[in-house]
């Protein structure tokens, strides 16, 4: 391939790398099917009397989960298998789906049912309205309070969840989703918050991504416990037969024990349906929120104090801690951003940076999370996540800034990161004169990586490509990634293969060196575009865009460092709705048709402004789908380093050409 054409390809792919990407790196081991609980020795004593009455509010926003997969109907059928005594009742309101997979619910109305010891009873339906509206939620809460007496109440949200920023319950008829503020307003319009005697025993989220600090703080005074998942839930969701049967056998149990049963039955069902790899579920004691709130806000205040001394250095170090921490929902350009990070893992990775507050935060989380379960590939989480602006965009941050339950120090901190301006109100938290704090000009940030664009790559005596950064350049960076593209001269196209952890970064010496060995991740021997969505001490997680039997999906896979093996976890449909991660995880089976999706640019002389999605290889799955690192074989490849700031801006180095020939790799610089 002539150098001239490669040079054109490099320019085009440089713009493409600015739009696509993976995550930063770290690595080393868990057991393949590990389950851990926050406090495995915990014993929950009965809190109430056996003849106490229970009412479970079940708010089912069917969405595409019901229309496409019948998931809500499946969970209702699980409920119908459970025998409950006279003192346990389930009040259901269901809507938000274009169609229902059962005979007793209608998409043109809001359906209400009661399940008790005598079975399922249809209640008068009401006019159709958005299940994503706080008014609809408030009406349901008021109906239950006015028509049913109960000693103890449980509320369960069922549908999609999008974390602290996006909320829950995407009504596909009205295209509306409910924010945390809307949820709080709905509950407090019906119930008075009471810190000592909250109206609900449990508020639970059979949704994705809602085990967040902001969600827990939202329900302080409204519920004793919260049960939710940090990560995207698999489509099977909670297991209602076991949940209701256990409560029916022992109505004297308290919310802690019931929460632990929800966790255990959920995880057992995930194991049975092979969706346990990234499953998470936590039980949070909301009476511990004052201590957790103080610890988390002190973590934010210490961050403000440190950032005010040297903003660039602080935010780059905090960004590196965040990239090493367990985070949820993907947080890559291909999969989208939910900006949720495990607070315990972030605190552990920030001990050197924030020594006065990190251990206190870890202890407060440990005290609040009384029980949790997690799969082998979500082993570092402490049970509560929080907002961190991985995406670097203003839109998500501006929504977060309006969340009642979000901590004020962190709103100030991330405003400082995003805009280079410390809010004047933050000075009172730090007890300093805000005029002494470094500020940027309006419209600028602390980070400038212009001099890293097209940074020269050097080649060492072992034929490895590397870049040398100055201390000042390093202070601009949260991560350094590598990118690889394959040049197909016959087809006249360069295919971007994505990012992988084939780069070694020495933050002390300021070097980044390639570790390319002529291998890449493949599906059944076919090269793929891949993003690394998590790089933990124990495992890596990968996302691969494919078409599965004609449907666009992200194939999810893992590498277990202890077992030294790759594992395909399943394929998750790509959901185009913003703030919604699809829960449905599809098992790859024999006979499935897979088409690999890449991003490419033509290699001719014509001007090209953007990359194009390219369907490359189509094959039929045999007895099992093989996923793993394999030799690429002879060919021409383009490689560069990508430098990423704490606010997610990026620049790419110059490109080098890797030529693989007869098993040897030849590295040459491009003119």
């Amino acid at each position: 391939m002539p150098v001239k054409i490669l040079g054109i390809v490099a320019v085009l792919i440089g713009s493409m790398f600015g739009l696509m990407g993976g995550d930063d790196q770290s690595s080393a081991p868990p057991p393949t099917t590990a389950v851990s609980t926050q406090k495995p020795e915990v014993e929950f004593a009965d809190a109430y009397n056996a003849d106490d009455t229970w009412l479970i509010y079940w708010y089912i926003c069917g969405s595409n989960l019901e229309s496409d997969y019948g998931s809500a109907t499946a969970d209702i059928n699980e409920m119908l298998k459970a025998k409950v005594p006279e003192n346990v009742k389930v009040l259901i309101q269901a809507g938000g789906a274009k169609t229902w997979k059962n005979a007793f619910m209608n998409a043109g109305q809001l359906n209400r049912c009661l399940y008790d010891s005598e079975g399922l009873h249809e209640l008068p339906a009401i006019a159709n309205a958005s299940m994503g509206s706080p008014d609809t939620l408030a009406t349901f809460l008021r109906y239950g309070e006015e028509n049913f007496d109960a000693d103890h109440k449980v509320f369960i949200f069922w549908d999609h969840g999008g974390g602290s920023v996006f909320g829950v319950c995407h009504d596909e008829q009205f295209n509306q989703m409910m924010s945390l503020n809307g949820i709080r307003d709905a509950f407090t319009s019906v119930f008075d918050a009471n810190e000592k005697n909250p109206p609900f025993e449990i508020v639970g989220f059979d949704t994705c991504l809602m085990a967040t600090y902001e969600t827990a703080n939202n329900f302080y005074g409204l519920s004793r416990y919260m049960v939710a998942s940090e990560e995207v839930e698999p489509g099977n969701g909670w297991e209602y037969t076991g949940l209701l049967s256990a409560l029916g056998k022992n109505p004297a149990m308290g919310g802690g024990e019931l929460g632990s049963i929800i966790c255990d039955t959920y995880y057992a069902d995930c194991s049975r349906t092979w969706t346990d790899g990234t499953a998470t579920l936590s039980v949070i004691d909301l009476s511990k929120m004052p201590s957790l709130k103080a610890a988390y806000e002190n973590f934010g205040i210490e961050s403000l104090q440190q950032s005010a001394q040297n903003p660039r250095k602080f935010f780059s170090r905090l960004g590196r801690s965040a990239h090493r921490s367990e985070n949820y929902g993907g947080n890559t350009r291909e999969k989208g951003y939910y900006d949720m990070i495990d607070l315990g893992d972030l605190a552990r990775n920030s001990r050197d940076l924030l020594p006065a507050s990190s251990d206190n935060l870890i202890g407060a989380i440990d005290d609040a999370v009384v029980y949790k379960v997690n799969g082998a590939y979500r082993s570092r989480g402490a049970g509560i996540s929080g907002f961190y602006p991985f995406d670097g965009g203003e839109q998500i941050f501006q929504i977060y800034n309006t969340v009642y339950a979000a901590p004020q120090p962190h709103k100030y901190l991330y405003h400082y990161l995003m805009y280079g301006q410390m809010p004047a109100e933050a000075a009172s938290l730090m007890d300093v004169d805000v005029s002494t704090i470094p500020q940027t000009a309006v419209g600028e940030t602390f980070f400038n990586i212009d001099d890293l664009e097209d940074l020269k790559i050097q080649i060492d005596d072992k034929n490895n490509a590397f870049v040398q950064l100055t201390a000042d350049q390093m202070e601009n960076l949260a991560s350094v990634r590598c990118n690889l593209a394959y040049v197909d001269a016959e087809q006249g196209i360069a295919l971007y293969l994505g990012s992988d952890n084939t780069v070694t970064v020495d933050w002390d010496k300021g070097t980044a060196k390639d570790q390319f060995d002529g291998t890449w991740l493949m599906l059944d021997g076919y090269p793929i575009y891949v993003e690394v969505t998590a790089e933990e001490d124990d495992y890596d997680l990968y996302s691969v865009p494919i078409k599965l039997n004609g449907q666009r999906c992200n194939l999810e896979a893992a590498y277990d460092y202890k077992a030294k093996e790759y594992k395909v976890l399943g394929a998750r449909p790509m959901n185009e709705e913003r703030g919604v991660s699809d829960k449905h995880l599809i098992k790859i089976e024999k006979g499935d048709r897979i088409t690999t999706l890449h991003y490419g640019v033509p290699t001719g002389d014509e001007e090209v402004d953007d990359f194009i999605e390219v369907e490359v290889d189509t094959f039929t799955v045999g007895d099992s789908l093989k996923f793993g690192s394999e030799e690429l074989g002879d060919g021409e490849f383009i490689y560069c380093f990508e430098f990423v700031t704490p606010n997610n801006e990026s620049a790419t180095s110059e490109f080098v050409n890797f030529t693989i020939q007869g098993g040897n790799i030849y590295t040459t610089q491009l003119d």
Side-chain angles (χ1 to χ4, degrees):
M1 175 66 62
V3 171
K4 173 191 171 187
I5 297 181
L6 287 177
I8 295 171
V9 173
V11 171
L12 296 174
I13 297 178
S15 65
M16 179 166 64
F17 286 157
L19 295 171
M20 310 300 297
D23 273 355
D24 195 32
Q25 119 182 25
S26 75
S27 14
T32 308
T33 56
V35 186
S36 66
T37 57
Q38 180 71 10
K39 295 179 179 177
E41 76 285 355
V42 68
E43 293 183 5
F44 297 98
D46 285 348
Y48 304 115
N49 299 313
D51 57 355
D52 283 1
T53 56
W54 288 77
L55 179 65
I56 298 175
Y57 293 73
W58 196 6
Y59 194 76
I60 303 176
C61 181
S63 71
N64 71 305
L65 296 174
E66 174 63 17
S67 297
D68 295 341
Y69 311 118
S71 298
T73 295
D75 281 351
I76 292 169
N77 287 334
E78 286 181 355
M79 175 192 70
L80 296 176
K81 295 177 183 177
K83 293 182 179 180
V84 296
E86 292 182 358
N87 54 339
V88 175
K89 294 179 172 63
V90 183
L91 177 64
I92 301 170
Q93 179 165 296
K98 293 179 180 178
T99 59
W100 289 85
K101 305 294 187 182
N102 60 60
F104 50 88
M105 289 183 179
N106 190 315
Q109 62 189 25
L110 292 182
N111 307 273
R112 285 180 176 166
C113 304
L114 182 71
Y115 183 65
D116 59 17
S117 59
E118 297 181 357
L120 185 66
H121 314 277
E122 290 189 46
L123 300 173
I126 60 174
N128 201 19
S130 172
M131 290 286 284
S133 165
D135 291 339
T136 304
L137 173 60
T139 300
F140 178 53
L141 288 166
R142 192 171 295 110
Y143 175 79
E145 182 68 2
E146 292 175 353
N147 291 277
F148 300 91
D149 292 324
D151 297 311
H152 314 294
K153 294 185 281 287
V154 174
F155 193 96
I156 300 173
F157 289 94
W158 189 103
D159 188 29
H160 291 295
S164 298
V165 172
F166 296 109
V168 295
C169 295
H170 180 262
D171 186 306
E172 69 173 353
Q173 295 190 61
F174 292 86
N175 195 27
Q176 184 177 9
M177 202 162 178
M178 201 178 329
S179 69
L180 288 183
N181 290 355
I183 292 171
R184 179 78 185 188
D185 290 343
F187 271 79
T188 55
S189 72
V190 180
F191 299 97
D192 294 327
N194 188 321
E195 297 172 6
K196 294 184 178 180
N197 189 29
F200 284 83
E201 186 69 13
I202 288 178
V203 170
F205 291 84
D206 189 0
T207 69
C208 302
L209 301 166
M210 297 308 295
T212 78
Y213 167 86
E214 292 81 9
T215 311
N217 197 28
N218 209 46
F219 280 99
Y220 179 60
L222 292 171
S223 183
R224 297 185 189 278
Y225 295 90
M226 186 178 87
V227 180
S229 172
E230 289 189 274
E231 185 56 283
V232 173
E233 276 194 0
N236 51 280
W238 292 11
E239 204 284 300
Y240 289 89
T241 306
L243 184 168
L244 291 169
S245 296
L247 182 60
K249 290 178 181 177
N250 183 21
M253 73 173 67
E257 182 174 1
L258 180 57
S260 71
I261 290 168
I262 293 171
C263 286
D264 289 342
T265 54
Y266 162 75
Y267 193 83
D269 194 43
C270 289
S271 297
R272 181 182 60 81
T273 55
W274 57 265
T275 59
D276 56 306
T278 59
T280 62
L281 205 61
S282 305
V283 183
I284 301 169
D285 182 349
L286 298 182
S287 71
K288 307 295 185 180
M289 283 307 301
S291 296
L292 178 57
K293 181 178 181 180
Y296 190 33
E297 290 187 350
N298 286 337
F299 187 80
I301 292 170
E302 187 180 5
S303 297
L304 285 168
Q305 293 167 337
Q306 297 276 22
S307 67
Q309 296 176 33
N310 188 331
R312 279 204 315 170
K313 184 175 182 179
F314 173 80
F315 283 121
S316 65
R317 291 183 66 192
L318 182 65
R320 294 169 204 169
S321 295
H323 278 83
R324 293 196 309 271
S325 300
E326 192 165 283
N327 61 85
Y328 306 106
N331 294 311
T332 68
R333 295 174 187 137
E334 170 70 20
K335 292 193 72 174
Y337 291 90
Y338 293 92
D339 288 350
M340 303 312 305
I341 190 170
D342 183 80
L343 295 184
D345 206 17
L346 178 63
R348 284 193 296 269
N349 289 326
S350 303
R351 277 182 166 128
D352 292 341
L353 182 62
L354 300 167
S357 59
S358 292
D359 283 338
N360 288 337
L361 177 55
I362 293 167
I365 293 170
D366 183 67
D367 196 35
V369 179
V370 296
Y371 200 83
K372 72 181 183 74
V373 294
N374 54 264
Y377 306 117
R378 295 282 76 177
S379 61
R380 294 181 59 87
I384 298 177
S385 62
F387 177 82
Y388 183 86
F390 286 105
D391 76 308
E394 295 183 17
Q395 184 177 4
I396 294 180
F397 170 71
Q398 288 173 354
I399 299 173
Y400 172 77
N401 209 29
T402 67
V403 176
Y404 304 151
Q408 197 63 50
H410 292 76
K411 292 181 179 180
Y412 295 150
L413 179 71
Y414 297 139
H415 185 280
Y416 194 34
L417 166 64
M418 300 284 295
Y419 301 106
Q421 300 285 313
M422 179 74 79
E425 299 87 349
S428 61
L429 295 177
M430 297 184 290
D431 194 26
V432 298
D433 183 351
V434 74
S435 66
T436 66
I437 297 173
Q439 311 271 15
T440 67
V442 175
E444 297 182 2
T445 71
F446 293 110
F447 312 103
N448 181 5
I449 54 174
D450 290 345
D451 62 341
L452 292 176
E453 193 69 52
D454 297 324
L455 182 71
K456 182 177 180 60
I457 290 182
Q458 303 178 57
I459 300 174
D460 65 17
D461 56 3
K462 295 182 179 179
N463 209 34
N464 293 120
F466 73 96
V467 289
Q468 181 66 57
L469 308 175
T470 67
D472 184 68
Q473 289 170 332
M474 296 294 281
E475 280 193 1
N476 283 289
L477 302 182
S479 68
V480 179
R481 308 190 272 235
C482 67
N483 296 283
L484 186 71
Y486 166 64
V487 180
D488 188 333
E490 291 186 4
Q491 297 296 322
I493 194 168
L495 297 177
Y496 179 33
L497 298 178
S499 302
D500 196 11
N501 51 353
T502 54
V503 58
T504 299
V505 182
D506 188 323
W507 293 106
D508 295 325
K509 295 181 179 179
T511 59
K513 181 180 292 188
D514 94 78
Q515 294 296 320
F516 181 69
D517 61 358
T519 65
W520 197 254
L521 290 170
M522 300 194 187
L523 277 178
D524 272 12
Y526 296 98
I528 52 176
Y529 168 81
V530 63
E531 286 188 328
V532 182
T533 60
E535 296 175 283
E536 306 293 354
D537 291 341
D538 304 332
Y539 53 85
D540 291 339
L541 295 180
Y542 304 95
S543 177
V544 180
I546 61 170
K547 281 188 175 180
L548 178 62
N549 301 320
Q551 182 179 19
R552 296 181 80 249
C553 296
N554 283 308
L555 182 139
E556 298 182 358
Y559 181 74
D560 184 323
Y561 278 88
K562 185 175 182 179
K564 296 182 179 179
E565 65 180 11
Y566 290 94
K567 182 178 181 180
V568 174
L569 305 179
R572 200 178 298 277
M574 295 183 186
N575 198 317
E576 301 302 325
E577 296 295 341
R578 183 163 174 76
V580 172
S581 181
D582 203 303
K583 292 173 67 175
H584 193 57
L585 189 64
I586 304 170
K587 186 176 183 179
I588 308 295
E589 298 184 310
K590 183 177 181 179
D592 283 338
R593 295 280 289 172
I594 290 179
T595 299
T596 61
L597 300 178
H598 291 255
Y599 302 93
V601 288
T603 57
D605 290 322
E606 69 272 18
E607 291 290 330
V608 180
D609 295 327
D610 206 352
F611 63 89
I612 56 175
E613 184 177 273
V614 183
E615 297 183 9
V616 179
D617 296 302
T618 298
F619 60 93
T620 301
V621 177
D623 291 335
S624 64
L625 177 62
K626 184 180 179 183
F627 175 87
S629 184
E630 299 182 37
E631 292 187 1
L632 286 163
D634 290 354
E636 300 283 341
F637 301 87
I638 299 174
Y639 181 98
C640 74
F641 297 96
E642 183 181 6
F643 311 105
V644 185
T645 68
N647 57 351
N648 208 32
E649 295 180 351
S650 68
T652 54
S653 70
E654 70 174 12
F655 291 74
V656 293
N657 182 32
F658 290 143
T659 300
I660 303 177
Q661 194 171 52
N664 297 314
I665 302 174
Y666 303 94
T667 306
T668 56
Q669 293 172 314
L670 297 176
D671 294 333

Short mmCIF file of all heavy atoms in Angstrom, two decimals, residues 55-81:
data_model
loop_
_atom_site.label_atom_id
_atom_site.label_comp_id
_atom_site.label_asym_id
_atom_site.label_seq_id
_atom_site.Cartn_x
_atom_site.Cartn_y
_atom_site.Cartn_z
N LEU A 55 -48.90 -4.32 52.00
CA LEU A 55 -49.39 -3.93 50.68
C LEU A 55 -48.18 -3.61 49.80
O LEU A 55 -47.36 -2.75 50.15
CB LEU A 55 -50.31 -2.71 50.75
CG LEU A 55 -50.86 -2.22 49.40
CD1 LEU A 55 -51.78 -3.27 48.78
CD2 LEU A 55 -51.59 -0.88 49.56
N ILE A 56 -48.08 -4.31 48.68
CA ILE A 56 -46.99 -4.07 47.72
C ILE A 56 -47.56 -3.32 46.53
O ILE A 56 -48.44 -3.83 45.82
CB ILE A 56 -46.36 -5.39 47.27
CG1 ILE A 56 -45.74 -6.12 48.47
CG2 ILE A 56 -45.30 -5.14 46.20
CD1 ILE A 56 -45.21 -7.50 48.14
N TYR A 57 -47.11 -2.10 46.34
CA TYR A 57 -47.46 -1.33 45.15
C TYR A 57 -46.51 -1.77 44.04
O TYR A 57 -45.29 -1.67 44.18
CB TYR A 57 -47.26 0.17 45.37
CG TYR A 57 -48.15 0.86 46.35
CD1 TYR A 57 -48.02 0.67 47.73
CD2 TYR A 57 -49.11 1.78 45.91
CE1 TYR A 57 -48.81 1.36 48.63
CE2 TYR A 57 -49.91 2.48 46.81
CZ TYR A 57 -49.75 2.26 48.16
OH TYR A 57 -50.54 2.95 49.06
N TRP A 58 -47.05 -2.18 42.90
CA TRP A 58 -46.21 -2.62 41.78
C TRP A 58 -46.53 -1.74 40.58
O TRP A 58 -47.61 -1.85 39.98
CB TRP A 58 -46.47 -4.09 41.48
CG TRP A 58 -45.42 -4.74 40.63
CD1 TRP A 58 -44.24 -4.21 40.21
CD2 TRP A 58 -45.45 -6.06 40.10
NE1 TRP A 58 -43.53 -5.10 39.46
CE2 TRP A 58 -44.24 -6.25 39.38
CE3 TRP A 58 -46.35 -7.11 40.17
CZ2 TRP A 58 -43.95 -7.45 38.72
CZ3 TRP A 58 -46.06 -8.30 39.51
CH2 TRP A 58 -44.87 -8.47 38.81
N TYR A 59 -45.61 -0.86 40.24
CA TYR A 59 -45.80 0.14 39.19
C TYR A 59 -45.10 -0.35 37.93
O TYR A 59 -43.88 -0.22 37.77
CB TYR A 59 -45.21 1.47 39.67
CG TYR A 59 -45.59 2.69 38.87
CD1 TYR A 59 -46.85 3.27 38.98
CD2 TYR A 59 -44.66 3.31 38.03
CE1 TYR A 59 -47.19 4.42 38.28
CE2 TYR A 59 -44.98 4.46 37.32
CZ TYR A 59 -46.25 5.01 37.45
OH TYR A 59 -46.59 6.16 36.76
N ILE A 60 -45.87 -0.96 37.03
CA ILE A 60 -45.31 -1.64 35.85
C ILE A 60 -45.48 -0.75 34.62
O ILE A 60 -46.58 -0.61 34.08
CB ILE A 60 -46.00 -2.99 35.60
CG1 ILE A 60 -45.87 -3.90 36.83
CG2 ILE A 60 -45.40 -3.67 34.37
CD1 ILE A 60 -46.60 -5.23 36.69
N CYS A 61 -44.38 -0.14 34.20
CA CYS A 61 -44.35 0.61 32.94
C CYS A 61 -43.82 -0.35 31.88
O CYS A 61 -42.61 -0.58 31.77
CB CYS A 61 -43.46 1.84 33.08
SG CYS A 61 -43.40 2.86 31.59
N GLY A 62 -44.71 -0.92 31.09
CA GLY A 62 -44.35 -2.04 30.22
C GLY A 62 -43.30 -1.74 29.19
O GLY A 62 -42.40 -2.53 28.94
N SER A 63 -43.41 -0.57 28.53
CA SER A 63 -42.46 -0.12 27.50
C SER A 63 -42.20 -1.21 26.47
O SER A 63 -42.99 -2.15 26.31
CB SER A 63 -41.16 0.37 28.15
OG SER A 63 -40.43 -0.72 28.68
N ASN A 64 -41.07 -1.10 25.76
CA ASN A 64 -40.74 -2.11 24.76
C ASN A 64 -40.38 -3.45 25.39
O ASN A 64 -40.38 -4.50 24.72
CB ASN A 64 -39.58 -1.64 23.89
CG ASN A 64 -38.25 -1.64 24.64
OD1 ASN A 64 -38.14 -1.03 25.71
ND2 ASN A 64 -37.26 -2.31 24.10
N LEU A 65 -40.08 -3.45 26.70
CA LEU A 65 -39.79 -4.71 27.38
C LEU A 65 -41.00 -5.65 27.33
O LEU A 65 -40.85 -6.86 27.24
CB LEU A 65 -39.39 -4.45 28.84
CG LEU A 65 -38.09 -3.66 29.04
CD1 LEU A 65 -37.89 -3.36 30.52
CD2 LEU A 65 -36.91 -4.44 28.49
N GLU A 66 -42.19 -5.08 27.39
CA GLU A 66 -43.40 -5.88 27.25
C GLU A 66 -43.80 -6.03 25.79
O GLU A 66 -44.10 -7.14 25.33
CB GLU A 66 -44.55 -5.24 28.03
CG GLU A 66 -45.90 -5.90 27.84
CD GLU A 66 -45.97 -7.35 28.33
OE1 GLU A 66 -45.09 -7.76 29.11
OE2 GLU A 66 -46.91 -8.08 27.93
N SER A 67 -43.78 -4.92 25.04
CA SER A 67 -44.23 -4.99 23.64
C SER A 67 -43.39 -5.97 22.83
O SER A 67 -43.92 -6.73 22.02
CB SER A 67 -44.15 -3.60 23.00
OG SER A 67 -45.02 -2.70 23.63
N ASP A 68 -42.07 -5.94 23.04
CA ASP A 68 -41.17 -6.78 22.23
C ASP A 68 -40.94 -8.16 22.83
O ASP A 68 -40.80 -9.14 22.10
CB ASP A 68 -39.82 -6.08 22.06
CG ASP A 68 -39.91 -4.80 21.25
OD1 ASP A 68 -40.91 -4.64 20.53
OD2 ASP A 68 -38.98 -3.97 21.34
N TYR A 69 -40.85 -8.23 24.15
CA TYR A 69 -40.38 -9.47 24.79
C TYR A 69 -41.38 -10.11 25.76
O TYR A 69 -41.16 -11.23 26.21
CB TYR A 69 -39.09 -9.19 25.56
CG TYR A 69 -38.05 -8.44 24.77
CD1 TYR A 69 -37.60 -7.19 25.18
CD2 TYR A 69 -37.51 -8.97 23.60
CE1 TYR A 69 -36.65 -6.48 24.46
CE2 TYR A 69 -36.56 -8.28 22.87
CZ TYR A 69 -36.13 -7.03 23.30
OH TYR A 69 -35.19 -6.35 22.59
N GLY A 70 -42.44 -9.39 26.12
CA GLY A 70 -43.38 -9.94 27.09
C GLY A 70 -42.80 -10.09 28.48
O GLY A 70 -43.24 -10.94 29.27
N SER A 71 -41.82 -9.25 28.84
CA SER A 71 -41.14 -9.40 30.13
C SER A 71 -42.04 -9.10 31.31
O SER A 71 -41.95 -9.75 32.36
CB SER A 71 -39.91 -8.49 30.17
OG SER A 71 -38.99 -8.84 29.17
N ALA A 72 -42.91 -8.10 31.18
CA ALA A 72 -43.83 -7.78 32.28
C ALA A 72 -44.81 -8.93 32.50
O ALA A 72 -45.09 -9.33 33.64
CB ALA A 72 -44.58 -6.49 31.99
N THR A 73 -45.34 -9.47 31.42
CA THR A 73 -46.25 -10.61 31.54
C THR A 73 -45.56 -11.79 32.20
O THR A 73 -46.15 -12.49 33.05
CB THR A 73 -46.78 -11.01 30.15
OG1 THR A 73 -47.58 -9.95 29.63
CG2 THR A 73 -47.61 -12.28 30.21
N ALA A 74 -44.30 -12.04 31.86
CA ALA A 74 -43.56 -13.14 32.47
C ALA A 74 -43.43 -12.94 33.97
O ALA A 74 -43.58 -13.89 34.76
CB ALA A 74 -42.18 -13.25 31.83
N ASP A 75 -43.17 -11.70 34.41
CA ASP A 75 -43.05 -11.44 35.85
C ASP A 75 -44.39 -11.52 36.55
O ASP A 75 -44.48 -11.96 37.71
CB ASP A 75 -42.39 -10.08 36.08
CG ASP A 75 -40.88 -10.13 35.90
OD1 ASP A 75 -40.34 -11.24 35.77
OD2 ASP A 75 -40.24 -9.07 35.90
N ILE A 76 -45.45 -11.09 35.88
CA ILE A 76 -46.79 -11.25 36.47
C ILE A 76 -47.11 -12.74 36.64
O ILE A 76 -47.67 -13.15 37.66
CB ILE A 76 -47.84 -10.55 35.59
CG1 ILE A 76 -47.64 -9.03 35.65
CG2 ILE A 76 -49.25 -10.91 36.04
CD1 ILE A 76 -48.45 -8.26 34.64
N ASN A 77 -46.74 -13.54 35.67
CA ASN A 77 -46.96 -14.99 35.79
C ASN A 77 -46.14 -15.58 36.94
O ASN A 77 -46.59 -16.52 37.61
CB ASN A 77 -46.61 -15.69 34.47
CG ASN A 77 -47.64 -15.43 33.39
OD1 ASN A 77 -48.80 -15.17 33.69
ND2 ASN A 77 -47.22 -15.51 32.14
N GLU A 78 -44.94 -15.04 37.18
CA GLU A 78 -44.17 -15.47 38.36
C GLU A 78 -44.94 -15.15 39.63
O GLU A 78 -44.99 -15.97 40.56
CB GLU A 78 -42.81 -14.76 38.39
CG GLU A 78 -41.81 -15.27 37.38
CD GLU A 78 -40.48 -14.56 37.46
OE1 GLU A 78 -40.36 -13.59 38.25
OE2 GLU A 78 -39.54 -14.97 36.75
N MET A 79 -45.53 -13.98 39.70
CA MET A 79 -46.33 -13.60 40.86
C MET A 79 -47.48 -14.58 41.08
O MET A 79 -47.76 -14.99 42.22
CB MET A 79 -46.89 -12.18 40.68
CG MET A 79 -47.84 -11.73 41.78
SD MET A 79 -48.74 -10.22 41.36
CE MET A 79 -49.84 -10.82 40.07
N LEU A 80 -48.14 -14.98 40.00
CA LEU A 80 -49.31 -15.85 40.11
C LEU A 80 -48.96 -17.23 40.64
O LEU A 80 -49.84 -17.97 41.11
CB LEU A 80 -50.00 -15.97 38.76
CG LEU A 80 -50.59 -14.66 38.18
CD1 LEU A 80 -51.16 -14.90 36.79
CD2 LEU A 80 -51.65 -14.09 39.10
N LYS A 81 -47.69 -17.61 40.60
CA LYS A 81 -47.26 -18.91 41.13
C LYS A 81 -47.05 -18.87 42.65
O LYS A 81 -46.92 -19.93 43.28
CB LYS A 81 -45.97 -19.35 40.46
CG LYS A 81 -46.10 -19.63 38.97
CD LYS A 81 -44.74 -19.99 38.37
CE LYS A 81 -44.84 -20.20 36.86
NZ LYS A 81 -43.51 -20.49 36.26
#
